[in-house]
Amino acid sequence: MAVVLALASAVVYGASDFLGGLATRRTSVFGVVAMSQLVGLGALLALLPWLGGPVSGADLAWGAASGLAGAAGLVVFFRTLAGGVMSVVAPVTAVTAAAVPVLVGLLGGETIGTSAAVGIALALLAVVLVSAESGLSALRAARPAALAPALLAGSMFGLFFVLLDRTSSEAGLTPLVTARLASVGLVVAIALASRQSLRVTRAALPLVAVSGVGDMTANALFLLATQADGQLAITGVLASLYPVSTVVLAQVVLRERLVGAQVTGLLAAAAAVVLITLPA
């Protein structure tokens, strides 16, 4: 069940990112992030009577910390994209986000079988390939100065998964409330401090709303995956396959052409999922 929930979270994360990306073409990036997270918070509050649970102060603290990490990653990611090359920033950020929960899980004593280990390695490779919109040549030409912020953003995204995994299984989705409040607060504070617009145009509002609900749904699916006794090394890397659904949607909806590296990455992702789900 944990594997299914983690894979579902990856699919929904990717779809949400796709819709959010479309929205940023029509309005302020910070407005998209802040508004989508507020909409997601509203959806979460509506579900809490059924999917919430008793929480401790530690659960709320872990939730808030995960929200701050995720929001910080978003801010660094967008700033890095603004000043760097997307074909370098995106794959480096994605593979780092996938690697962090794997490393933390293994260092924390989790043990995995041989097929799962090969699957995880293949999944990390798949994330790089799928995110390489301009092929691998751009990565080879990357400068260290462009890699550092991308690594930081990816680490923050990975830390979001790690911190959310620390909440108790009895808490249900309740820790996501403090996660979302913290992330919205940080994004709005940074936008105001840097005088970035938080305005969302009417044309972009439907995309922003659906993206916000989708992002919260993905968060909930991942949290439920961890609470279903899923190993962080596995649930984290599966949830980090979200670029796959983003790329597939871009190809289907926008008719974007896939480069050879991306096609190879899609095949590698499929093989990785099969290996990870094989019995130990």
Side-chain angles (χ1 to χ4, degrees):
M1 179 59 73
V3 168
V4 174
L5 290 170
L7 281 174
S9 74
V11 172
V12 181
Y13 271 131
S16 177
D17 285 352
F18 173 75
L19 294 173
L22 289 181
T24 58
R25 298 181 180 183
R26 306 179 184 184
T27 192
S28 159
V29 169
F30 276 89
V32 169
V33 174
M35 181 59 71
S36 65
Q37 297 210 352
L38 282 173
V39 171
L41 177 60
L44 172 64
L45 292 176
L47 291 174
L48 277 186
W50 295 276
L51 297 177
V55 291
S56 64
D59 290 325
L60 296 177
W62 286 122
S66 70
L68 290 174
L74 276 177
V75 172
V76 174
F77 182 64
F78 284 133
R79 288 187 177 277
T80 305
L81 285 180
V85 181
M86 181 175 288
S87 59
V88 173
V89 174
V92 172
T93 299
V95 74
T96 306
V100 168
V102 172
L103 291 175
V104 171
L106 295 178
L107 291 175
E110 291 183 356
T111 57
I112 55 177
T114 302
S115 62
V118 174
I120 288 173
L122 198 56
L124 294 175
L125 176 61
V127 169
V128 175
L129 294 174
V130 168
S131 304
E133 297 179 9
S134 300
L136 296 179
S137 58
L139 284 174
R140 289 194 293 267
R143 297 180 179 180
L147 295 178
L151 288 169
L152 177 59
S155 297
M156 291 296 100
F157 289 147
L159 192 58
F160 168 82
F161 291 130
V162 171
L163 294 172
L164 207 54
D165 180 63
R166 294 292 187 266
T167 61
S168 65
S169 58
E170 296 80 14
L173 301 186
T174 307
L176 289 176
V177 175
T178 51
R180 188 46 51 98
L181 288 173
S183 62
V184 170
L186 180 60
V187 169
V188 171
I190 292 175
L192 293 176
S194 57
R195 297 185 178 181
Q196 298 288 332
S197 173
L198 287 168
R199 180 175 176 271
V200 175
T201 62
R202 183 175 297 179
L205 197 54
L207 289 173
V208 173
V210 177
S211 175
V213 173
D215 180 65
M216 180 53 70
T217 301
N219 288 343
L221 288 168
F222 174 77
L223 183 55
L224 292 173
T226 65
Q227 292 173 351
D229 295 325
Q231 290 181 294
L232 180 62
I234 291 177
T235 57
V237 79
L238 289 176
S240 297
L241 287 172
Y242 63 87
V244 172
S245 58
T246 304
V247 166
V248 170
L249 281 171
Q251 201 277 330
V252 172
V253 178
L254 302 179
R255 301 296 180 185
E256 291 186 359
R257 184 178 178 182
L258 298 179
V259 299
Q262 288 179 301
V263 175
T264 304
L266 292 175
L267 296 174
V273 170
V274 172
L275 289 170
I276 290 172
T277 54
L278 286 175

